[in-house]
Amino acid sequence: MNHLDKLRLWGKAIRVMASKHQAVQLPKEGQPDAGLTRDYSQNPLHRFKKPGSKNYQNIYPPSATLHLSNIPSSCTEEDIKEAFTSNNFEVKAFKFFP
């Protein structure tokens, strides 16, 4: 919430705050919900679920820097730059880290 409140998105500031509700009311089994409500609280894919984990320690505010990981060793700097420039993104700086 601290990093996203008042962040500008598509030219407008977004507001992020804690809800006054303690829980989300999920629809009862068999009731229609148009696919708008899902419970991900037990999903094992949540990167920040385990306090103290490597991912949990790497939470930073939004910035203009994009970090990529798990890039195949066969991929070159030019391959990565081309992936962005071919989609009209500007690459201002680039650095491989070991």
Side-chain angles (χ1 to χ4, degrees), residues 30-90:
Q31 288 185 334
D33 70 345
L36 299 175
T37 309
R38 293 201 179 123
D39 182 5
Y40 291 100
S41 62
Q42 302 303 316
N43 189 319
L45 301 176
H46 194 298
R47 296 185 303 156
F48 306 115
K49 190 169 185 123
K50 299 174 187 144
S53 74
K54 181 180 177 186
N55 286 324
Y56 193 82
Q57 295 168 2
N58 291 321
I59 299 174
Y60 296 99
S63 73
T65 302
L66 176 64
H67 296 267
L68 303 174
S69 64
N70 297 323
I71 298 170
S73 58
S74 61
C75 194
T76 67
E77 180 176 328
E78 284 306 314
D79 293 334
I80 295 171
K81 285 183 178 179
E82 175 62 23
F84 287 94
T85 56
S86 66
N87 288 287
N88 299 319
F89 290 100
E90 179 184 359

Side-chain angles (χ1 to χ4, degrees), residues 6-15:
K6 299 183 184 122
L7 183 77
R8 296 196 68 78
L9 181 66
W10 296 304
K12 297 181 179 179
I14 62 174
R15 297 285 303 166

